Amino acid sequence: MDLRESAAGSGASELREDMEFDSHDEAYSSYKEYARSVGFGTAKLSSRRSRASKEFIDAKFSCIRYGSKQQSDDAINPRPSPKIGCKASMHVKRRQDGKWYIHSFVKEHNHELLPAQAHLKKNGGSGSGSSKLFGAYQNLDCLDGYMRSQHDKGRRLVLESGDAQVLLETFTRMQEENPKFYYAVDLNEQHQLRNLFWVDAKGMEDFNNFGDVVCLDTTYFTNKYRIPLVLFVGSNHHVQPTLLGCGLIADETVYTFVWLLQTWSVAMGDRGPRVMLTDQSNEIKTAVAAVFPRTQHCFCLYYILEKVPRQLEYFSLWNDAFTVKFHKCVFKSWTEEQFEKRWWKLVDKFHVREVEWFQSLYEDRRLWVPTFFRDVTFASLSAYSRAESLNSKFDKYVQGDTSVNEFVEQYKAILEDMYEEEAKADFDAWHEVPELKSPSPFEKQVHLIYTHEIFTKFQLEVLGAAACHLKKESEDERTTTTVYAVKDFEDDQNYVVEWNVKGSEICCSCRSFEFKGYLCRHGIVVLQMSGVFSIPSKYVLQRWTNAARSRKPVSGKLDEVQERVRRFNDLCRRAIILGEEGSLSQESYNIALSAIREGLKQCGSVNHSGEEENVSVERESEPQLDIVISSNKAPRLSETGKEKGTKGKVGFLVI
């Protein structure tokens, strides 16, 4: 059956000629809903107002491929699109009673459709052909307010001859290897490649577990590398970089960034991060606000600090005195009032009040100054220096002269290196128990809960608490909040710690928990002196634990979580032994496989019921180990269950 016929006849969100609407906006919403289910993008083709009442009385909506040339500039929605003469459209008119009705409806299209395209995108695409088609005319509603100007029309990726074809062929091959591999393209008016996005299955799965904080790294694009690359980067539970998506973009317009963010969001299941870190850019700021209105948008401190000397070089202000004052204002202001006072003193002393860029810094202060981030956790992605940040992981693969083809050729190597590092960290966590270095109950509490990397960092805070001296400053019996002044003799700094007994909430002016995700030494010493010898559970983030990928959230008593981790580690060790014995012969393999299947089925029956039990049974017949490893050298199982490229490490990466 022809794809167009099957899509049009699906009956999903069907439009009937006897339908009525309260407004032309409602009519357009219905048409868009119908379009999503059938599989095409929409556009507002035209509309007309009454000369007397000035109210809308007539409107026409169409497939985004309607017509054979670009719409005139006075059209309501002159969005550039690959038009091929499609006639599919809906014409609505307004009656005297205010109701709108369908005057005419053309259902047939002259091109392939993508039935239930929204669902196909969530599942990572349904095939190379549909992935390429989708990006060419996808219905990104939030682009309506960001039309490209005449100057921007015709922009395309600056690629060497044949690069575009090589890219698409590579992605087609990768999707054939793993259907969960996802990519989308954006074409300009001449059907030339303008923007491109892709992500592998591992990136989508990592977003499920570590998508709370994401950095959009545009360094390679803004620094004019040969490859116009942007990266979506996260951090896993071992403080290792996770690649959550890649893009090649033609320009830095709002339109481009909205397309990129919206496409990435669709790939991630129409979700956004809790926190997004980016370069300081009005275009990116506008795009993030449009696509992710509930996301906390922040500027990377590194990018701000990197620009300061360049921006002020003309005024000869970049000297030691300015550096000291600027850093004190930004990093040592514990309150908003303190920051305001120091900022205005700084700009007046160095005569930068009228510098436009400096003014923009102040206007965007809530997006980059640490004192405004009291309720934000950055998961170690807020490093002050890019050399220390996770993004720099990719610097060894992308140089100033790296071409698009060279990067794509190395793409699998990049993923393989990252997966191998993560598999090794997981393996070490199962087989090595970190050493306790103090009798502290806080250290013992998270001994087996935190991953090795985070536990080692937290140990330093526990040991560093011995170098802290505190003094009670004030106490509010009404709110049960006590304020302490803590002197840290190791760095010779004074900090302010607020402890709320009733809510078990603690906040330190060093912002360690906000930036790193674990409790600082100043908070630890306050808890000790307050007679509290257990870390409140809200300050033990699941993303830093050995149960980071667990389907069940880490909450409640941490000793229960620790016991759960013990059981998990024990089962992993036993599974490795079973794998070694079971692989020696076909007979032993069959016995081991049967035991695993039966054990998984019974565990599912105990832990789940109803629909959840059915999910467990499905996992028995089709183990989901490959969800987190894509089609690379990382630990994975073949259809026969034998290991591939594990180098001694099995693929038990999902709890």
Side-chain angles (χ1 to χ4, degrees), residues 280-293:
Q280 182 194 17
S281 163
N282 287 330
E283 290 76 19
I284 295 178
K285 184 168 68 171
T286 301
V288 172
V291 181
F292 301 125

Side-chain angles (χ1 to χ4, degrees), residues 63 466 603:
C63 170
C603 288

Side-chain angles (χ1 to χ4, degrees), residues 210-249:
F210 311 112
D212 52 342
V213 184
V214 177
C215 178
L216 177 64
D217 185 11
T218 55
T219 302
Y220 306 114
F221 181 83
T222 55
N223 287 356
K224 309 303 180 185
Y225 281 58
R226 281 182 63 191
I227 175 172
L229 176 69
V230 294
L231 302 171
F232 291 89
V233 181
S235 170
N236 69 10
H237 52 324
H238 301 298
V239 203
Q240 296 170 333
T242 58
L243 188 54
L244 306 178
C246 299
L248 298 175
I249 59 176

Side-chain angles (χ1 to χ4, degrees), residues 261-276:
L261 293 176
Q262 177 72 356
T263 303
W264 177 68
S265 174
V266 172
M268 300 301 148
D270 292 323
R271 294 171 297 164
R274 182 176 53 78
V275 178
M276 173 159 277

